[in-house]
Amino acid sequence: MNHDLIVIGGGPGGYVAAIRAAQLGLNVGCVEKEAALGGTCLRIGCIPSKALLESSHLYHMAQHEMAAHGVKIVNASLDLPTMLKRKDGIVDGLTKGIDFLFKKNKVTRYRGTGRLAGPGKVVVDGDQPQELTAKNIIIATGSKPMMIPGIEFDGKHVGTSTEALNYDKVPEHLVVIGGGVIGLELGSVWKRLGAKVTVLEFLDRIMAGMDTELARDSQKVFEKQGIEFRLKTKVTSAKFDGSKCIVTVEGGEPIHCDKVLVSVGRVPVTDGLGLETVGLQLDAKKRIPTDSHLRTPIAGIFAIGDCINGPMLAHKAEEEGVAAAEFIATGYGHVNYDAIPSVVYTEPEVASVGKTEDELKAAGVEYRKGTFQFAFHGRAKALGQTDGYVKVLADKKTDRVLGVHILGPRAGDLIAECAAAIEFGASSEDIARTCHAHPTLAEVVKEAALGVDGRSIHK
Ligand code: NAI
């Protein structure tokens, strides 16, 4: 089969690239080894974890928060099989949705593992091996959990996020290795469902990369919820000994528990791709090198998403997929990496876009800062969700918004306005002078923007 474009990988980067290229009139094939399209994000990542986050939040509310609203629920109980089934149903519906979108856009789907076999050639290994040719190829093979020495994965007791989305009963004690995004999101799910949760983090802080002040304040909120943190703790081994899990840490007593979630980062999937057949070399972190148009050094081969440089985020992969497809079809295609938000879906959520205070200080950029607490806001009080604040950072001379960092209810939705502000090169004055509907949580963003100039009204 001959195509204008073959995309290897059907995750959020790959399937979006395939659809966008087809919209632009290209004849597109997409190779995916799993039965379901959607990649890690849709099948075993963002979507199933969000289903569990919402469900576990409702359970927690029923048990601990609704009485304060005057709603008494007697004997709220957990039906874990139904919760897991609901999650699986959401995933199933969405992955089938991508099959439908492929048909609608006339993208040909190949089932099997794709690899390069020379310039313009892709071999699909699987039940029905095939050889495909194309003028252009986009590699979108994603990432997989990082393994560290000493951890004996058995898939049942010591496992990754994939297993933690499917525990068939609530662990009594869950030990999470790594205080990053996955550990915090899934740790908080099982905490809300009743587990004791201990997070072991190598660094002296959680959420590395997020604004330090925000990360520190987030940790306090999570501790208030009962999650236990041990920072500056390096895990050296973890295994199941037949009756319990034993986790050893450098310079401390071993910890006994019944489940271990290993979430110490992810690594690009770039092995076995036949890159040598076209002379494409990986960088030191086993990522595929690309330029600002997502081109690899080899003509006609592009790469996007987790298998290249940059944050491993589904929406970053999607933007790159669109940019690569548009570049192939039109000669133009661009991603603004300064305006990529990042969200940690805990309760409350943590969201960020642009530069952190640490980055601005390190770069010697002079800035002004406005903050506003959710506790001062009527809607947050009505929701009963008053933890956290919005912090707006703007250039001292030009007032251009450089970064916004939010800890608080629906922070992940509120950050969209801030990403748009950065994309349009807005000033904090622009946000402050934009009318925000009352009473909405978005007013907290406006008040923080007013705060850059010391003009918050309700503080
Ligand atoms: P992460 O990179 O966010 O955090 C891993 C943490 O593990 C780091 O803080 C690191 O210091 C710690 N660590 C490493 N080795 C350790 C050891 N031996 N003992 C103790 N701690 C150790 O990685 P995570 O949470 O696994 O997420 C992987 C990727 O998936 C990230 O790039 C993230 O952006 C992405 N992701 C994004 C989500 C979102 O945007 N909401 C959700 C889930 C994943």
Side-chain angles (χ1 to χ4, degrees):
M1 286 295 292
N2 183 34
H3 291 281
D4 297 323
L5 169 68
I6 293 171
V7 183
I8 304 179
Y15 86 73
V16 167
I19 291 173
R20 182 70 190 120
Q23 284 177 343
L24 290 165
L26 301 192
N27 172 355
V28 185
C30 180
V31 187
E32 169 57 56
K33 65 181 167 47
E34 300 291 337
L37 292 164
T40 299
C41 168
L42 222 165
R43 296 182 304 106
I44 49 170
C46 327
I47 298 300
S49 64
K50 257 83 276 173
L52 291 185
L53 280 160
E54 296 298 346
S55 301
S56 62
H57 178 56
L58 287 178
Y59 176 60
H60 189 266
M61 281 193 68
Q63 279 194 314
H64 302 288
E65 291 175 37
M66 286 175 71
H69 290 260
V71 182
K72 281 197 183 154
I73 297 185
V74 186
N75 293 334
S77 65
L78 178 64
D79 177 359
L80 187 57
T82 299
M83 200 179 274
L84 296 179
K85 205 168 138 206
R86 174 182 180 275
K87 164 198 64 118
D88 293 338
I90 292 169
V91 170
D92 192 47
L94 287 170
T95 57
K96 288 200 176 104
I98 304 173
D99 283 319
F100 164 78
L101 292 173
F102 269 16
K103 284 196 187 100
K104 182 181 152 201
N105 288 284
K106 301 193 175 51
V107 175
T108 310
R109 196 237 151 130
Y110 296 95
R111 172 86 199 273
T113 306
R115 65 181 159 87
L116 303 178
K121 279 199 193 122
V122 172
V123 165
V124 183
D125 295 317
D127 289 348
Q128 295 166 325
Q130 298 196 58
E131 197 169 299
L132 315 173
T133 54
K135 272 203 279 302
N136 292 291
I137 296 164
I138 297 179
I139 302 172
T141 43
S143 61
K144 60 185 180 188
M146 189 193 292
M147 302 290 158
I148 48 175
I151 308 278
E152 294 178 27
F153 287 91
D154 68 356
K156 199 162 187 288
H157 306 92
V158 179
T160 64
S161 51
T162 308
E163 288 78 35
L165 289 168
N166 279 309
Y167 294 153
D168 56 7
K169 69 181 183 38
V170 179
E172 260 176 49
H173 186 188
L174 168 66
V175 165
V176 176
I177 307 178
V181 190
I182 294 181
L184 293 171
E185 290 185 2
L186 285 171
S188 51
V189 163
W190 292 104
K191 171 72 203 151
R192 287 201 287 267
L193 295 179
K196 171 180 174 185
V197 174
T198 306
V199 177
L200 308 176
E201 169 54 52
F202 172 65
L203 300 175
D204 61 357
R205 54 164 295 172
I206 59 168
M207 296 193 292
M210 277 271 183
D211 188 89
T212 304
E213 184 184 33
L214 199 79
R216 208 182 306 119
D217 292 331
S218 306
Q219 185 183 331
K220 285 185 202 146
V221 173
F222 303 145
E223 278 170 341
K224 215 165 65 180
Q225 295 169 357
I227 298 179
E228 184 192 359
F229 288 92
R230 293 209 207 163
L231 305 182
K232 295 195 233 166
T233 301
K234 183 175 179 192
V235 173
T236 47
S237 76
K239 67 172 184 190
F240 182 65
D241 76 351
S243 59
K244 61 189 173 312
C245 300
I246 307 171
V247 181
T248 60
V249 298
E250 219 169 67
E253 290 295 307
I255 303 164
H256 295 172
C257 58
D258 51 342
K259 293 274 189 213
V260 178
L261 161 59
V262 185
S263 48
V264 292
R266 295 179 64 87
V267 289
V269 174
T270 48
D271 287 335
L273 271 175
L275 303 180
E276 66 290 349
T277 66
V278 293
L280 183 50
Q281 283 181 345
L282 299 175
D283 70 10
K285 293 187 172 169
K286 297 195 83 182
R287 298 172 301 201
I288 299 174
T290 50
D291 68 7
S292 61
H293 295 300
L294 291 320
R295 288 180 293 198
T296 70
I298 309 301
I301 301 184
F302 296 72
I304 59 169
D306 286 9
C307 67
I308 70 168
N309 187 22
M312 291 184 171
L313 299 170
H315 46 275
K316 175 253 192 191
E318 288 181 31
E319 293 303 311
E320 290 178 337
V322 168
E326 292 184 350
F327 185 80
I328 290 167
T330 68
Y332 299 94
H334 166 253
V335 176
N336 178 2
Y337 290 98
D338 283 333
I340 295 184
S342 95
V343 182
V344 187
Y345 297 91
T346 42
E347 193 62 53
E349 293 174 349
V350 187
S352 180
V353 65
K355 303 283 184 232
T356 63
E357 279 200 70
D358 320 72
E359 286 170 331
L360 293 177
K361 280 179 192 149
V365 177
E366 290 196 305
Y367 62 93
R368 293 197 300 169
K369 160 166 137 178
T371 53
F372 195 84
Q373 280 68 22
F374 284 95
F376 301 154
H377 190 258
R379 188 63 186 278
K381 278 188 189 295
L383 279 170
Q385 294 180 24
T386 51
D387 281 326
Y389 53 88
V390 175
K391 169 160 89 174
V392 175
L393 306 173
D395 188 282
K396 195 173 175 187
K397 274 200 211 87
T398 64
D399 193 37
R400 187 179 180 139
V401 178
L402 301 173
V404 183
H405 308 281
I406 308 177
L407 163 67
R410 298 288 162 190
D413 294 316
L414 297 177
I415 205 74
E417 168 187 11
C418 311
I422 289 181
E423 183 69 43
F424 283 99
S427 61
S428 75
E429 180 81 13
D430 288 327
I431 300 180
R433 293 220 174 259
T434 301
C435 182
H436 288 64
H438 179 72
T440 61
L441 295 171
E443 287 172 298
V444 181
V445 175
K446 177 184 167 118
E447 286 273 17
L450 280 164
V452 170
D453 193 35
R455 296 192 275 132
S456 300
I457 299 291
H458 295 91
K459 186 177 166 183

